[in-house]
């Protein structure tokens, strides 16, 4: 199997551009700048996981969970899931070459136009016409599509039956999944989706259009060098110009190589995600980098929750079967095949998108333990009789719901660890709104609403999100934001103008989004990254072809 990444033993001391992180923001930046002729290195803290290597059994899945919070740290440092347990909110993000795209559901939606009318965005976002160009480019590379068979799936029909409670029928959303064999724009052959339902464990078919199958191979084709197992700690100006990037290796260096290394670059693009980029800038500020005092603010959970319906009187079939399929003859569907959009024309904050979801097959053995008293015994019995695909778990409903919150969370560093503070998070109006809508949906088909089956565990009753946004939010100048509309980092030096920027330092990922989007964020993160690259390449006189 051809690998894209190599060991940090082979990294060079200097590049034109260093991109930190390899999710949507990192993939777009690396590809666009490599295509424009720059010598690009991508530094990713996770590992490379190829098609066919994603977890399909529970022991493998458990190995992929890295859970941290306070002084607690469990699981592998290169696990695919980075779970942060917080006092006010928990956050789940992906880790690996390809970032969150490896384990997400791939739902690709553009927000309501009123989101961008909010003056929290710098005016250029609305005015320069490049946002539409960004979305067009994002669509060209990620190729969102609707499952042509969505309406025939059992889980879609279950959502349709439940939707009478809200008076709005479901539709098939666009997802970044191919439903026919194809060769993608990076020249990679991708087979058609088998509707195995395991998207959130990683696609072992190769049908999901991840960053690892699109932007990153195209970057490599144009000379970018990708390195895994490197955790960037901070970035500081190099004495002779440009930047120094400090890296700690999370693998075992080869003979003669150090655990920590410093690389130099003219341009650094932080694309380590909302948590990663914010943490790196907070640490860089402690090393003396002058930044906006808005750093860490405007964290939004995107009004996002995952919840369940147990005991529905209709079949749902929303547990993945994986690939190769663990059970024959089940057409589960991709992680999300149906959604209900409730649009409030008067108050955007009340608009809600509810998606039916699928739990990956690797989680099947623990469902009885999660949902049923004495479930351990039931789990053992059921594993003898074709597991959870028959009986009560064939009618388990999983929901992903997205709406709007007030983006009032704030990150800071405590003892070198990133901490999220949002004391009022659980009282945000969005959660009551979502609970009411989901309870009505579940009730309509005779089930019980299970908000959080893990409440009795370390998860407690805090809200959780898989859509963290903000922390390095964009603004017009450093009094309102950490970066400008194109991700250039504002210089916080007191005697410089409020809109002065650090030449060559950018943040380009979900961290720059200054508010909730009300829809799943991947398409907007990619579009904003494409838009930022149009600006950056123009500024440097570089080509940025489609
Ligand atoms: C289970 C799940 C399901 C989801 N489903 C959807 C969906 O259906 N649709 C949707 O729009 N969104 C979905 N999301 C969210 C979406 O995947 C993220 O919003 C998106 O990946 C964020 O993109 P990004 O470029 O900001 O960063 P990421 O994709 O998070 O990439 C950041 C990368 O940087 C790396 N990194 C972090 N810190 C460092 C460091 N210090 N040094 C080096 N590397 C570092 C990380 O390992 C990661 O690979 C889902 C997320 C999860 C977890
Ligand atoms: S349903 Fe299965 S084959 Fe289709 S994209 Fe998801 S993981 Fe891949």
């Amino acid at each position: 199997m051809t690998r894209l990444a190599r060991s940090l033993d082979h990294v060079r001391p200097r590049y034109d551009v260093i991109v930190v992180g390899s999710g949507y923001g990192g993939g777009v930046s690396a590809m666009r700048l490599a295509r424009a002729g720059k010598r690009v290195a991508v530094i990713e803290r996770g590992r490379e996981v190829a098609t066919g290597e994603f977890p399909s059994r529970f022991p493998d899945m458990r190995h992929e969970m890295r859970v941290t919070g306070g002084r607690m740290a469990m699981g592998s440092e290169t696990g695919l899931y980075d779970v942060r347990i917080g006092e006010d909110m928990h956050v789940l993000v992906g880790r690996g070459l390809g970032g969150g795209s490896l384990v997400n559901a791939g739902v690709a939606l553009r927000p309501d136009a009123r989101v961008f009318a909010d003056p929290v965005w710098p005016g250029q976002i609305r005015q320069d016409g490049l946002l539409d160009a960004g979305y067009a480019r994002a669509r060209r590379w990620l190729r969102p599509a609707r499952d042509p068979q969505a309406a025939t799936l059992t889980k879609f029909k279950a959502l349709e039956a439940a939707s009478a409670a809200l008076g709005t029928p479901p539709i098939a959303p666009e997802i970044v999944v191919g439903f026919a064999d194809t060769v993608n724009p990076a020249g990679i052959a991708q087979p058609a989706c088998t509707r195995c339902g395991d998207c959130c464990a990683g696609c072992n078919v190769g049908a999901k259009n991840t960053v690892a199958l699109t932007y990153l191979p195209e970057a490599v084709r144009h000379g970018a060098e990708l390195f895994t197992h490197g955790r960037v700690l901070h970035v500081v100006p190099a004495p002779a110009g440009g930047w120094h990037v400090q890296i700690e290796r999370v693998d075992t260096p080869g003979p003669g190589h150090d655990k920590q290394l410093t690389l130099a670059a003219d341009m650094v693009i932080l694309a380590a995600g909302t948590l990663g980029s914010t943490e790196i800038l907070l640490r860089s500020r402690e090393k003396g980098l002058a930044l906006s005092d808005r750093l860490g603010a405007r964290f939004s959970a995107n009004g996002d929750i995952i919840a369940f319906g147990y005991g529905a009187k209709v079949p749902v079939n929303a547990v993945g079967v994986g690939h190769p399929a663990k059970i024959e003859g089940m057409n589960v569907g991709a992680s999300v095949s149906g959604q209900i959009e409730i649009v409030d024309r008067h108050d955007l904050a009340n608009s809600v998108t509810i998606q039916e979801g699928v739990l990956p097959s690797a989680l099947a053995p623990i469902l009885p333990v999660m949902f049923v008293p004495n479930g351990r015994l039931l789990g053992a019995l059921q594993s003898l009789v074709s597991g959870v695909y028959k009986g009560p778990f064939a009618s388990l409903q999983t929901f992903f719901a997205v709406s709007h919150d007030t983006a009032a969370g704030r990150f800071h560093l405590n003892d070198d660890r990133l901490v999220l503070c949002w004391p009022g998070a659980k009282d945000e109006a969005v959660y009551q709104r979502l609970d009411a809508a989901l309870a009505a949906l579940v009730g309509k088909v005779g089930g019980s609403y299970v908000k959080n089956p893990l409440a009795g565990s370390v998860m407690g009753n805090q809200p959780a999100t898989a859509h963290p946004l903000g922390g390095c939010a964009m603004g017009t100048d450093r009094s309102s934001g950490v970066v400008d509309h194109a991700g250039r980092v504002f210089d916080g030096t007191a005697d410089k103008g409020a809109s002065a920027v650090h030449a060559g330092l950018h943040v380009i990922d979900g961290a720059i989004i200054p508010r909730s989007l009300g829809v799943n964020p991947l398409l907007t993160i990619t579009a904003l990254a494409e838009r930022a690259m149009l600006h950056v390449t123009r500024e440097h006189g570089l080509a940025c072809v489609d």
Side-chain angles (χ1 to χ4, degrees):
M1 180 142 331
T2 319
R3 301 275 166 183
L4 295 173
R6 51 182 105 173
S7 158
L8 275 164
D9 286 352
H10 303 289
V11 78
R12 298 178 225 207
R14 180 169 197 100
Y15 291 86
D16 296 333
V17 181
I18 292 179
V19 176
V20 180
S22 60
Y24 295 99
V28 171
S29 306
M31 184 277 246
R32 293 295 174 194
L33 293 169
R35 268 186 164 193
K38 293 290 177 188
R39 284 199 323 154
V40 175
V42 176
I43 311 291
E44 163 60 50
R45 68 183 172 152
R47 65 192 212 279
E48 181 170 5
V49 183
T51 300
E53 296 176 346
F54 290 100
S56 62
R57 296 177 325 119
F58 181 62
D60 302 332
M61 186 67 134
R62 193 166 51 187
H63 185 72
E64 298 295 350
M65 297 277 177
R66 168 78 172 174
V67 184
T68 54
R71 301 205 169 274
M72 172 189 67
M74 297 184 309
S76 162
E77 264 192 280
T78 57
L80 280 166
Y81 303 90
D82 177 356
V83 185
R84 310 283 179 103
I85 303 295
E87 285 193 6
D88 301 321
M89 176 171 287
H90 312 314
V91 183
L92 167 65
V93 293
R95 182 201 282 111
L97 197 74
S101 76
L102 300 175
V103 293
N104 68 19
V107 178
L109 303 173
R110 187 167 175 162
D112 188 312
R114 289 174 292 175
V115 166
F116 290 108
D118 184 338
V120 73
W121 298 91
Q124 292 93 332
I125 292 282
R126 286 179 291 278
Q127 290 150 12
D128 68 9
L130 294 185
L131 184 60
D132 283 344
Y135 275 111
R137 287 178 165 220
R139 293 183 64 85
R140 200 165 306 137
W141 278 84
L142 296 176
R143 292 168 302 134
R146 292 188 170 82
D147 181 351
Q149 292 181 20
T152 67
L153 300 169
T154 310
K155 66 192 181 100
F156 188 97
K157 289 179 186 161
L159 185 66
E160 203 163 35
S163 70
L166 302 179
T168 309
I171 56 159
E174 287 194 315
I175 53 179
V176 290
V177 169
F179 294 97
D181 292 356
T182 185
V183 175
N184 75 21
I188 310 272
Q190 288 186 256
C193 171
T194 63
R195 300 187 176 86
C196 76
D198 265 10
C199 318
C200 290
C203 180
N204 278 324
V205 173
K208 186 167 73 165
N209 305 326
T210 64
V211 178
L213 289 180
T214 56
Y215 284 104
L216 291 177
E218 182 69 0
V220 169
R221 212 159 66 86
H222 288 84
E225 297 174 17
L226 278 44
F227 301 94
T228 52
H229 298 88
R231 182 171 162 253
V232 170
L233 301 176
H234 61 257
V235 180
V236 290
W243 298 91
H244 277 163
V245 178
Q246 188 68 23
I247 302 169
E248 176 185 67
R249 292 182 65 165
V250 292
D251 59 356
T252 308
H257 295 277
D258 295 328
K259 193 78 180 160
Q260 292 232 355
L261 54 159
T262 309
L263 305 183
D266 299 330
M267 184 187 290
V268 172
I269 296 189
L270 298 178
T274 289
L275 308 187
S277 293
T278 308
E279 180 174 347
I280 292 167
L281 279 189
L282 284 166
R283 205 177 281 118
S284 304
R285 184 165 69 186
E286 290 196 345
K287 300 283 172 199
L289 186 65
L291 296 166
S292 158
D293 59 15
R294 304 299 297 149
L295 179 60
R298 294 212 69 81
F299 170 82
S300 165
N302 205 25
D304 162 50
I305 65 166
I306 174 168
F308 303 90
Y310 183 70
K313 303 287 180 275
V314 295
V316 182
N317 289 357
V319 179
V321 294
H323 177 80
K326 295 183 171 91
I327 179 163
E328 289 303 321
M330 281 191 56
N331 208 21
V332 176
S335 271
V336 173
S337 313
Q339 72 177 20
I340 297 172
E341 294 173 358
I342 301 166
V343 180
D344 186 323
R345 297 271 162 231
H346 305 290
D347 186 356
L348 173 66
N350 288 333
S351 293
V352 170
T353 304
I354 296 175
Q355 291 146 359
E356 50 72 25
V358 179
L359 290 175
S361 63
L363 292 180
I366 63 156
L367 294 181
V369 182
M370 283 169 67
F371 285 94
V372 187
N374 301 319
R376 238 170 256 285
L377 179 62
L378 185 63
L381 286 175
Q382 286 204 333
S383 64
L384 298 175
V385 284
S386 68
V388 299
Y389 300 103
K390 294 179 182 156
F393 294 101
S395 58
L396 179 71
Q397 293 169 289
T398 298
F399 296 103
F400 306 134
V402 199
S403 184
H404 294 281
D405 59 29
T406 60
R410 183 158 197 142
F411 290 112
H412 62 271
L413 279 187
N414 184 3
D415 205 10
D416 208 37
R417 279 191 302 267
L418 187 74
V419 176
L420 170 62
C421 270
W422 193 349
K426 68 175 178 346
D427 302 319
E428 287 272 320
V430 61
Y431 298 118
Q432 272 187 357
R433 217 164 37 235
L434 292 179
D435 283 349
L438 290 168
L441 277 179
V442 172
K444 187 72 190 169
V445 287
S448 317
Y449 178 49
V450 184
K451 190 172 170 184
N452 179 2
L454 299 176
S457 73
V458 68
M459 298 296 283
N461 273 317
Q462 293 94 317
T465 182
H467 296 171
L469 302 172
C472 306
M474 61 171 75
T476 351
D477 60 29
R478 68 169 181 248
S479 68
S480 58
V482 178
V483 301
D484 76 358
H485 65 97
R488 303 176 192 98
V489 177
F490 288 124
D491 187 336
T493 309
D495 58 3
K496 292 205 173 154
S499 50
V501 295
H502 286 292
L505 183 61
H506 303 253
V507 181
I508 299 182
D509 58 23
I512 67 175
I513 293 180
R515 54 158 294 146
S516 58
L517 298 173
V519 292
N520 319 49
L522 79 80
L523 192 65
T524 301
I525 294 170
T526 310
L528 288 171
E530 289 279 19
R531 179 187 174 281
M533 281 298 119
L534 285 165
H535 277 282
V536 170
T537 48
R538 280 180 192 180
E539 184 185 329
H540 290 84
L542 302 169
C544 194
V545 289
D546 271 7

